[in-house]
Amino acid sequence: QVQLVESGGGQVQAGDSLRLSCAASGRTDSTYSVGWFRQAPGKEREFVATIRWSGEDAYYADSMKGRFTISKGNAKNTVYLQMNSLKPDDTAVYSCAAKTSSTARYIYWGQGTQVTVSS
């Protein structure tokens, strides 16, 4: 089992930045990669970014490239999502998730953290 806890959400103005954290505990040695997802009210959950547990091979949704950066903390079992130039359309619940192999589904999920961007 892997437990994931997100933090760092909040209410900001358009153009501001936020850094979200995803702290992992438990059987992290079984973790292959961690991804960030978001879900806005009335919309389906969408992929944001993912990174290998080693800290390599970061991938982004096309709409997030250039504004969002995913990274893995060196000393801690934490994955970060740096979000810059935030827009009202970025308003959503952001959740992190982990999977145990490249072909597996994301099976471990955090509870999510709310990000609200006002214009």
Side-chain angles (χ1 to χ4, degrees), residues 45-99:
R45 184 170 59 202
E46 67 173 329
F47 167 76
V48 174
T50 186
I51 191 167
R52 290 274 300 274
W53 191 242
S54 63
E56 300 172 318
D57 299 337
Y59 295 100
Y60 301 88
D62 287 343
S63 59
M64 318 298 173
K65 290 179 181 178
R67 294 194 301 126
F68 291 7
T69 303
I70 190 171
S71 63
K72 167 83 168 23
N74 289 329
K76 299 180 181 179
N77 291 333
T78 303
V79 173
Y80 302 100
L81 183 68
Q82 177 68 41
M83 306 186 294
N84 298 329
S85 302
L86 284 164
K87 307 173 183 178
D89 285 348
D90 294 319
T91 295
V93 175
Y94 285 72
S95 301
C96 62
K99 59 180 180 178

Short mmCIF file of all heavy atoms in Angstrom, two decimals, residues 45-99:
data_model
loop_
_atom_site.label_atom_id
_atom_site.label_comp_id
_atom_site.label_asym_id
_atom_site.label_seq_id
_atom_site.Cartn_x
_atom_site.Cartn_y
_atom_site.Cartn_z
N ARG A 45 -12.16 14.13 -14.92
CA ARG A 45 -10.79 14.25 -14.45
C ARG A 45 -9.85 14.24 -15.63
O ARG A 45 -10.03 13.47 -16.59
CB ARG A 45 -10.47 13.10 -13.50
CG ARG A 45 -9.09 13.17 -12.88
CD ARG A 45 -8.95 12.14 -11.78
NE ARG A 45 -9.16 10.80 -12.27
CZ ARG A 45 -9.52 9.77 -11.50
NH1 ARG A 45 -9.71 9.96 -10.21
NH2 ARG A 45 -9.65 8.57 -12.02
N GLU A 46 -8.83 15.10 -15.60
CA GLU A 46 -7.87 15.15 -16.68
C GLU A 46 -6.45 15.02 -16.17
O GLU A 46 -6.13 15.43 -15.05
CB GLU A 46 -8.01 16.44 -17.51
CG GLU A 46 -7.66 17.71 -16.80
CD GLU A 46 -7.65 18.92 -17.73
OE1 GLU A 46 -7.35 18.78 -18.93
OE2 GLU A 46 -7.92 20.02 -17.22
N PHE A 47 -5.62 14.43 -17.00
CA PHE A 47 -4.21 14.23 -16.69
C PHE A 47 -3.48 15.56 -16.77
O PHE A 47 -3.71 16.37 -17.67
CB PHE A 47 -3.62 13.24 -17.70
CG PHE A 47 -2.12 13.17 -17.70
CD1 PHE A 47 -1.45 12.50 -16.70
CD2 PHE A 47 -1.39 13.78 -18.71
CE1 PHE A 47 -0.07 12.43 -16.70
CE2 PHE A 47 -0.02 13.72 -18.73
CZ PHE A 47 0.65 13.04 -17.72
N VAL A 48 -2.56 15.77 -15.82
CA VAL A 48 -1.77 17.00 -15.80
C VAL A 48 -0.30 16.69 -16.14
O VAL A 48 0.25 17.23 -17.09
CB VAL A 48 -1.85 17.69 -14.43
CG1 VAL A 48 -0.91 18.89 -14.38
CG2 VAL A 48 -3.29 18.11 -14.14
N ALA A 49 0.30 15.81 -15.35
CA ALA A 49 1.72 15.50 -15.55
C ALA A 49 2.06 14.23 -14.79
O ALA A 49 1.33 13.83 -13.88
CB ALA A 49 2.60 16.64 -15.06
N THR A 50 3.17 13.62 -15.17
CA THR A 50 3.64 12.43 -14.47
C THR A 50 5.15 12.41 -14.45
O THR A 50 5.80 13.04 -15.30
CB THR A 50 3.09 11.15 -15.12
OG1 THR A 50 3.45 10.02 -14.30
CG2 THR A 50 3.67 10.95 -16.51
N ILE A 51 5.71 11.70 -13.49
CA ILE A 51 7.16 11.59 -13.38
C ILE A 51 7.50 10.23 -12.80
O ILE A 51 6.77 9.70 -11.96
CB ILE A 51 7.73 12.73 -12.51
CG1 ILE A 51 9.26 12.80 -12.62
CG2 ILE A 51 7.30 12.59 -11.06
CD1 ILE A 51 9.85 14.08 -12.04
N ARG A 52 8.61 9.65 -13.28
CA ARG A 52 9.06 8.40 -12.69
C ARG A 52 9.48 8.62 -11.24
O ARG A 52 9.93 9.71 -10.88
CB ARG A 52 10.26 7.88 -13.50
CG ARG A 52 9.91 7.39 -14.90
CD ARG A 52 9.48 5.96 -14.89
NE ARG A 52 10.52 5.08 -14.38
CZ ARG A 52 11.49 4.55 -15.11
NH1 ARG A 52 11.55 4.80 -16.41
NH2 ARG A 52 12.37 3.75 -14.57
N TRP A 53 9.36 7.61 -10.42
CA TRP A 53 9.74 7.72 -9.01
C TRP A 53 11.22 8.05 -8.86
O TRP A 53 11.65 8.63 -7.86
CB TRP A 53 9.40 6.43 -8.27
CG TRP A 53 9.51 6.55 -6.78
CD1 TRP A 53 10.34 5.85 -5.95
CD2 TRP A 53 8.75 7.41 -5.92
NE1 TRP A 53 10.15 6.22 -4.65
CE2 TRP A 53 9.18 7.19 -4.60
CE3 TRP A 53 7.76 8.38 -6.15
CZ2 TRP A 53 8.66 7.86 -3.51
CZ3 TRP A 53 7.23 9.05 -5.07
CH2 TRP A 53 7.68 8.80 -3.77
N SER A 54 12.01 7.69 -9.85
CA SER A 54 13.44 8.03 -9.85
C SER A 54 13.68 9.52 -10.07
O SER A 54 14.79 10.01 -9.89
CB SER A 54 14.16 7.25 -10.95
OG SER A 54 13.66 7.62 -12.22
N GLY A 55 12.65 10.23 -10.48
CA GLY A 55 12.80 11.65 -10.78
C GLY A 55 13.04 11.95 -12.24
O GLY A 55 13.16 13.11 -12.64
N GLU A 56 13.08 10.91 -13.05
CA GLU A 56 13.32 11.05 -14.48
C GLU A 56 12.02 10.98 -15.26
O GLU A 56 10.99 10.63 -14.72
CB GLU A 56 14.28 9.95 -14.95
CG GLU A 56 15.63 9.97 -14.25
CD GLU A 56 16.46 8.75 -14.59
OE1 GLU A 56 15.89 7.64 -14.64
OE2 GLU A 56 17.67 8.92 -14.81
N ASP A 57 12.13 11.30 -16.54
CA ASP A 57 11.03 11.08 -17.49
C ASP A 57 9.75 11.77 -17.08
O ASP A 57 8.73 11.13 -16.80
CB ASP A 57 10.77 9.59 -17.66
CG ASP A 57 11.98 8.85 -18.21
OD1 ASP A 57 12.82 9.50 -18.85
OD2 ASP A 57 12.07 7.63 -17.99
N ALA A 58 9.78 13.08 -17.06
CA ALA A 58 8.57 13.84 -16.80
C ALA A 58 7.78 14.04 -18.09
O ALA A 58 8.36 14.33 -19.14
CB ALA A 58 8.91 15.20 -16.19
N TYR A 59 6.46 13.90 -18.01
CA TYR A 59 5.59 14.11 -19.16
C TYR A 59 4.43 15.00 -18.73
O TYR A 59 3.98 14.94 -17.59
CB TYR A 59 5.04 12.78 -19.68
CG TYR A 59 6.11 11.88 -20.24
CD1 TYR A 59 6.61 10.84 -19.49
CD2 TYR A 59 6.61 12.08 -21.52
CE1 TYR A 59 7.61 10.01 -19.98
CE2 TYR A 59 7.61 11.26 -22.02
CZ TYR A 59 8.09 10.24 -21.25
OH TYR A 59 9.08 9.43 -21.75
N TYR A 60 3.95 15.79 -19.69
CA TYR A 60 2.90 16.76 -19.40
C TYR A 60 1.78 16.68 -20.42
O TYR A 60 2.01 16.35 -21.59
CB TYR A 60 3.47 18.19 -19.44
CG TYR A 60 4.58 18.43 -18.45
CD1 TYR A 60 5.90 18.16 -18.78
CD2 TYR A 60 4.31 18.93 -17.18
CE1 TYR A 60 6.93 18.37 -17.89
CE2 TYR A 60 5.34 19.15 -16.27
CZ TYR A 60 6.64 18.87 -16.64
OH TYR A 60 7.65 19.08 -15.74
N ALA A 61 0.59 17.03 -19.98
CA ALA A 61 -0.48 17.27 -20.92
C ALA A 61 -0.08 18.49 -21.75
O ALA A 61 0.56 19.42 -21.24
CB ALA A 61 -1.79 17.53 -20.18
N ASP A 62 -0.43 18.48 -23.01
CA ASP A 62 -0.01 19.56 -23.91
C ASP A 62 -0.41 20.94 -23.37
O ASP A 62 0.35 21.91 -23.50
CB ASP A 62 -0.62 19.35 -25.30
CG ASP A 62 0.05 18.21 -26.05
OD1 ASP A 62 1.15 17.80 -25.64
OD2 ASP A 62 -0.54 17.73 -27.03
N SER A 63 -1.58 21.03 -22.77
CA SER A 63 -2.05 22.33 -22.31
C SER A 63 -1.31 22.83 -21.09
O SER A 63 -1.43 24.00 -20.72
CB SER A 63 -3.55 22.25 -22.01
OG SER A 63 -3.81 21.30 -21.01
N MET A 64 -0.54 21.96 -20.44
CA MET A 64 0.19 22.34 -19.23
C MET A 64 1.66 22.66 -19.51
O MET A 64 2.34 23.25 -18.67
CB MET A 64 0.16 21.22 -18.19
CG MET A 64 -1.16 20.52 -18.03
SD MET A 64 -2.48 21.59 -17.47
CE MET A 64 -3.87 20.46 -17.61
N LYS A 65 2.16 22.26 -20.68
CA LYS A 65 3.57 22.46 -20.98
C LYS A 65 3.93 23.93 -20.94
O LYS A 65 3.22 24.77 -21.46
CB LYS A 65 3.89 21.89 -22.36
CG LYS A 65 3.87 20.38 -22.43
CD LYS A 65 4.18 19.90 -23.83
CE LYS A 65 4.13 18.38 -23.90
NZ LYS A 65 4.38 17.88 -25.27
N GLY A 66 5.04 24.22 -20.30
CA GLY A 66 5.52 25.59 -20.23
C GLY A 66 5.07 26.34 -19.00
O GLY A 66 5.72 27.30 -18.59
N ARG A 67 3.95 25.93 -18.40
CA ARG A 67 3.47 26.61 -17.20
C ARG A 67 3.62 25.76 -15.95
O ARG A 67 3.81 26.28 -14.86
CB ARG A 67 1.99 26.99 -17.35
CG ARG A 67 1.70 28.02 -18.41
CD ARG A 67 0.28 28.58 -18.25
NE ARG A 67 -0.72 27.53 -18.34
CZ ARG A 67 -1.65 27.32 -17.41
NH1 ARG A 67 -1.70 28.07 -16.33
NH2 ARG A 67 -2.55 26.36 -17.57
N PHE A 68 3.51 24.44 -16.11
CA PHE A 68 3.58 23.52 -14.97
C PHE A 68 4.87 22.72 -15.03
O PHE A 68 5.33 22.33 -16.11
CB PHE A 68 2.39 22.56 -14.98
CG PHE A 68 1.06 23.19 -14.70
CD1 PHE A 68 0.90 24.56 -14.60
CD2 PHE A 68 -0.06 22.40 -14.54
CE1 PHE A 68 -0.33 25.14 -14.34
CE2 PHE A 68 -1.31 22.95 -14.28
CZ PHE A 68 -1.44 24.32 -14.19
N THR A 69 5.45 22.46 -13.87
CA THR A 69 6.65 21.64 -13.77
C THR A 69 6.48 20.62 -12.67
O THR A 69 6.19 20.98 -11.53
CB THR A 69 7.88 22.49 -13.49
OG1 THR A 69 8.04 23.49 -14.50
CG2 THR A 69 9.13 21.63 -13.46
N ILE A 70 6.67 19.35 -13.01
CA ILE A 70 6.60 18.28 -12.02
C ILE A 70 8.03 17.90 -11.65
O ILE A 70 8.93 17.88 -12.50
CB ILE A 70 5.80 17.07 -12.56
CG1 ILE A 70 5.53 16.06 -11.46
CG2 ILE A 70 6.51 16.43 -13.75
CD1 ILE A 70 4.55 14.95 -11.86
N SER A 71 8.25 17.62 -10.38
CA SER A 71 9.59 17.24 -9.93
C SER A 71 9.49 16.31 -8.73
O SER A 71 8.45 16.24 -8.06
CB SER A 71 10.41 18.48 -9.58
OG SER A 71 9.83 19.19 -8.50
N LYS A 72 10.58 15.64 -8.48
CA LYS A 72 10.64 14.71 -7.34
C LYS A 72 11.67 15.23 -6.36
O LYS A 72 12.80 15.55 -6.75
CB LYS A 72 11.03 13.32 -7.84
CG LYS A 72 11.43 12.34 -6.80
CD LYS A 72 10.25 11.67 -6.18
CE LYS A 72 10.59 10.47 -5.32
NZ LYS A 72 11.90 10.36 -4.77
N GLY A 73 11.31 15.33 -5.08
CA GLY A 73 12.24 15.77 -4.08
C GLY A 73 13.34 14.75 -3.87
O GLY A 73 13.08 13.55 -3.83
N ASN A 74 14.57 15.21 -3.70
CA ASN A 74 15.69 14.27 -3.57
C ASN A 74 15.69 13.57 -2.22
O ASN A 74 15.93 12.37 -2.12
CB ASN A 74 17.02 15.02 -3.76
CG ASN A 74 17.23 15.44 -5.20
OD1 ASN A 74 16.76 14.78 -6.11
ND2 ASN A 74 17.90 16.55 -5.38
N ALA A 75 15.45 14.32 -1.17
CA ALA A 75 15.59 13.75 0.16
C ALA A 75 14.29 13.21 0.74
O ALA A 75 14.30 12.51 1.73
CB ALA A 75 16.15 14.80 1.10
N LYS A 76 13.19 13.54 0.10
CA LYS A 76 11.90 13.15 0.66
C LYS A 76 11.08 12.42 -0.38
O LYS A 76 11.28 12.57 -1.57
CB LYS A 76 11.14 14.39 1.14
CG LYS A 76 11.84 15.17 2.23
CD LYS A 76 11.01 16.37 2.65
CE LYS A 76 11.72 17.16 3.73
NZ LYS A 76 10.92 18.35 4.14
N ASN A 77 10.17 11.62 0.07
CA ASN A 77 9.26 10.92 -0.83
C ASN A 77 8.13 11.85 -1.24
O ASN A 77 6.96 11.59 -0.96
CB ASN A 77 8.72 9.67 -0.14
CG ASN A 77 9.77 8.62 0.06
OD1 ASN A 77 10.74 8.55 -0.68
ND2 ASN A 77 9.58 7.77 1.07
N THR A 78 8.52 12.92 -1.90
CA THR A 78 7.54 13.94 -2.27
C THR A 78 7.67 14.30 -3.73
O THR A 78 8.79 14.47 -4.24
CB THR A 78 7.73 15.20 -1.39
OG1 THR A 78 7.61 14.84 -0.02
CG2 THR A 78 6.67 16.24 -1.72
N VAL A 79 6.55 14.44 -4.37
CA VAL A 79 6.49 14.90 -5.76
C VAL A 79 5.81 16.26 -5.75
O VAL A 79 4.78 16.44 -5.09
CB VAL A 79 5.73 13.91 -6.64
CG1 VAL A 79 5.52 14.48 -8.04
CG2 VAL A 79 6.49 12.60 -6.72
N TYR A 80 6.39 17.19 -6.48
CA TYR A 80 5.89 18.56 -6.50
C TYR A 80 5.29 18.88 -7.87
O TYR A 80 5.70 18.33 -8.89
CB TYR A 80 7.01 19.54 -6.21
CG TYR A 80 7.68 19.31 -4.89
CD1 TYR A 80 8.90 18.64 -4.81
CD2 TYR A 80 7.10 19.77 -3.70
CE1 TYR A 80 9.52 18.42 -3.60
CE2 TYR A 80 7.72 19.56 -2.48
CZ TYR A 80 8.93 18.88 -2.44
OH TYR A 80 9.53 18.66 -1.23
N LEU A 81 4.34 19.81 -7.85
CA LEU A 81 3.81 20.37 -9.09
C LEU A 81 3.87 21.88 -8.95
O LEU A 81 3.10 22.47 -8.19
CB LEU A 81 2.38 19.91 -9.35
CG LEU A 81 1.78 20.40 -10.67
CD1 LEU A 81 2.49 19.72 -11.85
CD2 LEU A 81 0.27 20.12 -10.73
N GLN A 82 4.81 22.48 -9.64
CA GLN A 82 4.94 23.93 -9.66
C GLN A 82 4.04 24.47 -10.76
O GLN A 82 4.18 24.07 -11.92
CB GLN A 82 6.39 24.34 -9.92
CG GLN A 82 6.61 25.84 -10.03
CD GLN A 82 6.39 26.56 -8.72
OE1 GLN A 82 6.80 26.08 -7.67
NE2 GLN A 82 5.75 27.72 -8.77
N MET A 83 3.13 25.35 -10.40
CA MET A 83 2.18 25.90 -11.37
C MET A 83 2.37 27.41 -11.45
O MET A 83 2.23 28.11 -10.43
CB MET A 83 0.75 25.57 -10.95
CG MET A 83 0.50 24.08 -10.71
SD MET A 83 -1.22 23.69 -10.39
CE MET A 83 -1.45 24.52 -8.81
N ASN A 84 2.72 27.89 -12.62
CA ASN A 84 2.95 29.32 -12.84
C ASN A 84 1.91 29.89 -13.79
O ASN A 84 1.24 29.16 -14.52
CB ASN A 84 4.35 29.52 -13.43
CG ASN A 84 5.45 29.06 -12.52
OD1 ASN A 84 5.32 29.10 -11.29
ND2 ASN A 84 6.55 28.59 -13.10
N SER A 85 1.79 31.20 -13.77
CA SER A 85 0.85 31.91 -14.66
C SER A 85 -0.53 31.27 -14.62
O SER A 85 -1.13 30.95 -15.65
CB SER A 85 1.40 31.91 -16.09
OG SER A 85 2.67 32.50 -16.16
N LEU A 86 -1.03 31.09 -13.42
CA LEU A 86 -2.32 30.41 -13.27
C LEU A 86 -3.46 31.20 -13.88
O LEU A 86 -3.46 32.44 -13.88
CB LEU A 86 -2.59 30.14 -11.79
CG LEU A 86 -1.77 28.98 -11.21
CD1 LEU A 86 -1.77 29.02 -9.69
CD2 LEU A 86 -2.30 27.64 -11.71
N LYS A 87 -4.42 30.45 -14.41
CA LYS A 87 -5.58 31.04 -15.06
C LYS A 87 -6.84 30.56 -14.34
O LYS A 87 -6.83 29.50 -13.69
CB LYS A 87 -5.64 30.57 -16.52
CG LYS A 87 -4.38 30.80 -17.32
CD LYS A 87 -4.49 30.15 -18.69
CE LYS A 87 -3.20 30.30 -19.48
NZ LYS A 87 -3.28 29.63 -20.80
N PRO A 88 -7.94 31.27 -14.47
CA PRO A 88 -9.20 30.80 -13.85
C PRO A 88 -9.57 29.39 -14.32
O PRO A 88 -10.14 28.62 -13.53
CB PRO A 88 -10.22 31.84 -14.32
CG PRO A 88 -9.41 33.09 -14.47
CD PRO A 88 -8.08 32.64 -15.00
N ASP A 89 -9.22 29.02 -15.55
CA ASP A 89 -9.52 27.68 -16.04
C ASP A 89 -8.72 26.59 -15.33
O ASP A 89 -9.02 25.40 -15.48
CB ASP A 89 -9.23 27.58 -17.55
CG ASP A 89 -10.30 28.26 -18.38
OD1 ASP A 89 -11.36 28.61 -17.82
OD2 ASP A 89 -10.08 28.46 -19.59
N ASP A 90 -7.70 26.98 -14.56
CA ASP A 90 -6.93 26.00 -13.80
C ASP A 90 -7.63 25.63 -12.49
O ASP A 90 -7.15 24.76 -11.75
CB ASP A 90 -5.54 26.54 -13.49
CG ASP A 90 -4.69 26.72 -14.74
OD1 ASP A 90 -4.74 25.84 -15.62
OD2 ASP A 90 -3.99 27.76 -14.83
N THR A 91 -8.72 26.30 -12.18
CA THR A 91 -9.47 26.00 -10.97
C THR A 91 -9.98 24.56 -11.00
O THR A 91 -10.66 24.15 -11.94
CB THR A 91 -10.66 26.96 -10.81
OG1 THR A 91 -10.16 28.29 -10.62
CG2 THR A 91 -11.54 26.57 -9.63
N ALA A 92 -9.60 23.78 -9.97
CA ALA A 92 -9.95 22.37 -9.93
C ALA A 92 -9.46 21.77 -8.63
O ALA A 92 -8.70 22.41 -7.89
CB ALA A 92 -9.32 21.61 -11.11
N VAL A 93 -9.89 20.56 -8.37
CA VAL A 93 -9.28 19.74 -7.31
C VAL A 93 -8.13 18.98 -7.96
O VAL A 93 -8.33 18.26 -8.94
CB VAL A 93 -10.29 18.78 -6.69
CG1 VAL A 93 -9.58 17.86 -5.68
CG2 VAL A 93 -11.41 19.54 -5.99
N TYR A 94 -6.94 19.15 -7.40
CA TYR A 94 -5.75 18.50 -7.93
C TYR A 94 -5.42 17.30 -7.04
O TYR A 94 -5.32 17.45 -5.81
CB TYR A 94 -4.58 19.47 -7.96
CG TYR A 94 -4.69 20.49 -9.07
CD1 TYR A 94 -5.63 21.51 -9.01
CD2 TYR A 94 -3.87 20.41 -10.19
CE1 TYR A 94 -5.75 22.44 -10.04
CE2 TYR A 94 -3.97 21.34 -11.23
CZ TYR A 94 -4.92 22.34 -11.14
OH TYR A 94 -5.03 23.26 -12.16
N SER A 95 -5.23 16.16 -7.67
CA SER A 95 -4.93 14.93 -6.95
C SER A 95 -3.69 14.29 -7.52
O SER A 95 -3.43 14.38 -8.72
CB SER A 95 -6.09 13.94 -7.06
OG SER A 95 -7.30 14.48 -6.55
N CYS A 96 -2.93 13.63 -6.64
CA CYS A 96 -1.80 12.84 -7.13
C CYS A 96 -2.15 11.36 -7.00
O CYS A 96 -3.00 10.97 -6.19
CB CYS A 96 -0.52 13.17 -6.39
SG CYS A 96 -0.52 12.84 -4.62
N ALA A 97 -1.50 10.58 -7.83
CA ALA A 97 -1.77 9.16 -7.88
C ALA A 97 -0.48 8.42 -8.21
O ALA A 97 0.42 8.98 -8.85
CB ALA A 97 -2.84 8.85 -8.92
N ALA A 98 -0.40 7.17 -7.78
CA ALA A 98 0.80 6.37 -8.01
C ALA A 98 0.44 5.04 -8.66
O ALA A 98 -0.65 4.51 -8.45
CB ALA A 98 1.52 6.13 -6.69
N LYS A 99 1.38 4.54 -9.45
CA LYS A 99 1.21 3.21 -10.01
C LYS A 99 2.51 2.45 -9.85
O LYS A 99 3.58 3.02 -9.63
CB LYS A 99 0.76 3.25 -11.45
CG LYS A 99 1.66 3.97 -12.42
CD LYS A 99 1.02 3.89 -13.80
CE LYS A 99 1.83 4.56 -14.86
NZ LYS A 99 1.19 4.43 -16.20
#
